Amino acid sequence: MTIPYTTGVHRLANDTYAYLQGTCATGYSNAGLVVSGDEALLVDTLYTLDQTRDMLGAIAASAPGSDICWVVNTHHDGDHWWGNQLVADAVIVSSTSAAQTMRKAGPETVVPYLSPETDPRLRAILEPFDFAGIKPTYPTVTFSGELELTVGKRTVRVLEVGPAHSVGDVIVHVPDERVVYAGDIQVFGSHGVVHSGPIANFIKACDTILGLDVDTVVPGHGPVGGKAEVVQVRDYLERVQAHATAAHQQGKTPIEAAREFDFAEFADLEYGERVILNIGAVYRELNGDGTPGPGAMLHDMVDLEETLKAKVTA
Ligand SMILES: [Zn+2]
């Protein structure tokens, strides 16, 4: 079964759904819904209140009568929890590390990127979004390791697999529906991002998903897929790890390493410039002193984007 990559609620199995926004551009994430009887669990809220309101409206129309009793935030990036205040009556769950990091990852963190002094190319990424009115609404239940929830009559497993994309990544496994919601541990159709690493743990998180008895994998961004797409993500991460390690050894800068990355093998993935963030993460691990900083990497990213565009049009 192929799920169209269009904005709206898509049914995955009997009682599980994905809410997709039809683009892998920054700030447009996926969410999930698991229903049993009149209870429901929502996987992630969205970047803005408008996005989250649209989603909740679509859910009310597609899965009528289901009361969202549970919310799981897969990690601390704003595009997965800044809409929490609209479902504040639910029990909100995340890993302990994600919940701690959320305290310093509210909407105030985007302000520097929207300032007139900021590189306009970076500013343009966030300008489409209206962050007004967001009141950070934090998880009320946190855990480390693994947590089992009962939604109606259905068992839902929440597994901590971070630090990988971020410090406290979790995935949500619905065994009887053979579905897993992977948060940003999986991004399909575009380059994913290693913010935190270690990259080896990210690869291990892919293996954890491959070890689950599931047919359907809902990524944090991009179209719904299955294990074949997870294998591609795993291959990509291994390739980045090997390439960045070799380039580091040869004394190359991250941007030099990124320009030499073999994009041909991953030609079906959009947003190639994001590879610099992943190369930067491997460099940070190897340097062990916090360099290169993620901010510098974002500037390299917009430079790389221009290089890649020039290549396409050349
Ligand atoms: Zn995300």
Side-chain angles (χ1 to χ4, degrees):
M1 177 177 51
T2 306
I3 308 286
Y5 190 38
T6 52
T7 301
V9 176
H10 299 273
R11 192 171 184 187
L12 307 173
N14 288 327
D15 282 327
T16 44
Y17 303 82
Y19 181 78
L20 311 176
Q21 298 194 83
T23 168
C24 283
T26 296
Y28 296 92
S29 46
N30 299 333
L33 188 77
V34 182
V35 178
S36 176
D38 55 5
E39 287 192 17
L41 175 146
L42 180 68
V43 182
D44 284 336
T45 59
L46 304 176
Y47 209 18
T48 67
L49 299 181
D50 287 343
Q51 282 185 351
T52 304
R53 257 186 223 110
D54 286 350
M55 171 177 74
L56 293 173
I59 285 174
S62 307
S66 55
D67 178 30
I68 297 173
C69 308
W70 301 93
V71 175
V72 176
N73 293 131
T74 57
H75 61 292
H76 75 263
D77 285 344
D79 52 332
H80 300 265
W81 72 279
W82 285 357
N84 276 5
Q85 75 204 64
L86 299 177
V87 285
D89 289 341
V91 177
I92 303 178
V93 179
S94 80
S95 71
T96 305
S97 339
Q100 278 165 357
T101 313
M102 283 177 190
R103 303 271 164 182
K104 38 184 197 258
E108 73 285 352
T109 52
V110 299
V111 173
Y113 296 104
L114 293 168
S115 114
E117 288 97 70
T118 302
D119 184 328
R121 297 169 304 172
L122 269 183
R123 210 168 55 217
I125 298 174
L126 292 181
E127 260 168 356
F129 302 101
D130 178 7
F131 300 107
I134 295 172
K135 293 187 199 76
T137 303
Y138 301 108
T140 43
V141 169
T142 63
F143 73 100
S144 297
E146 185 173 341
L147 182 70
E148 202 171 280
L149 300 175
T150 305
V151 181
K153 293 187 171 151
R154 176 161 278 121
T155 297
V156 176
R157 299 168 70 220
V158 191
L159 311 175
E160 186 176 22
V161 295
H165 165 75
S166 70
V167 289
D169 306 292
V170 305
I171 60 173
V172 179
H173 177 211
V174 190
D176 71 331
E177 296 270 275
R178 305 174 64 82
V179 171
V180 63
Y181 298 94
D184 287 3
I185 292 298
Q186 297 299 315
V187 167
F188 298 154
S190 76
H191 288 240
V193 177
V194 184
H195 283 304
S196 159
I199 198 165
N201 203 42
F202 209 137
I203 293 166
K204 201 172 133 214
C206 294
D207 286 332
T208 299
I209 294 172
L210 291 170
L212 298 175
D213 191 14
V214 294
D215 302 318
T216 307
V217 180
V218 180
H221 299 259
V224 173
K227 286 191 176 175
E229 286 77 12
V230 180
V231 169
Q232 193 193 26
V233 169
R234 192 188 189 288
D235 288 349
Y236 168 82
L237 291 167
E238 283 184 338
R239 190 55 53 89
V240 168
Q241 185 184 36
H243 178 77
T245 305
H248 184 272
Q249 234 160 33
Q250 293 156 12
K252 289 180 178 149
T253 63
I255 188 95
E256 285 167 346
R259 289 192 171 119
E260 289 170 9
F261 185 75
D262 183 8
F263 288 94
E265 194 185 336
F266 303 100
D268 55 333
L269 302 184
E270 289 185 283
Y271 297 96
E273 67 273 15
R274 291 178 185 159
V275 79
I276 185 85
L277 305 178
N278 305 333
I279 289 170
V282 175
Y283 271 53
R284 261 197 303 285
E285 246 181 79
L286 294 169
N287 292 340
D289 62 357
T291 63
M297 289 294 91
L298 284 177
H299 283 277
D300 278 356
M301 183 180 78
V302 285
D303 286 342
L304 181 62
E305 184 182 359
E306 277 180 13
T307 312
L308 296 179
K309 271 189 192 146
K311 261 190 202 164
V312 171
T313 47

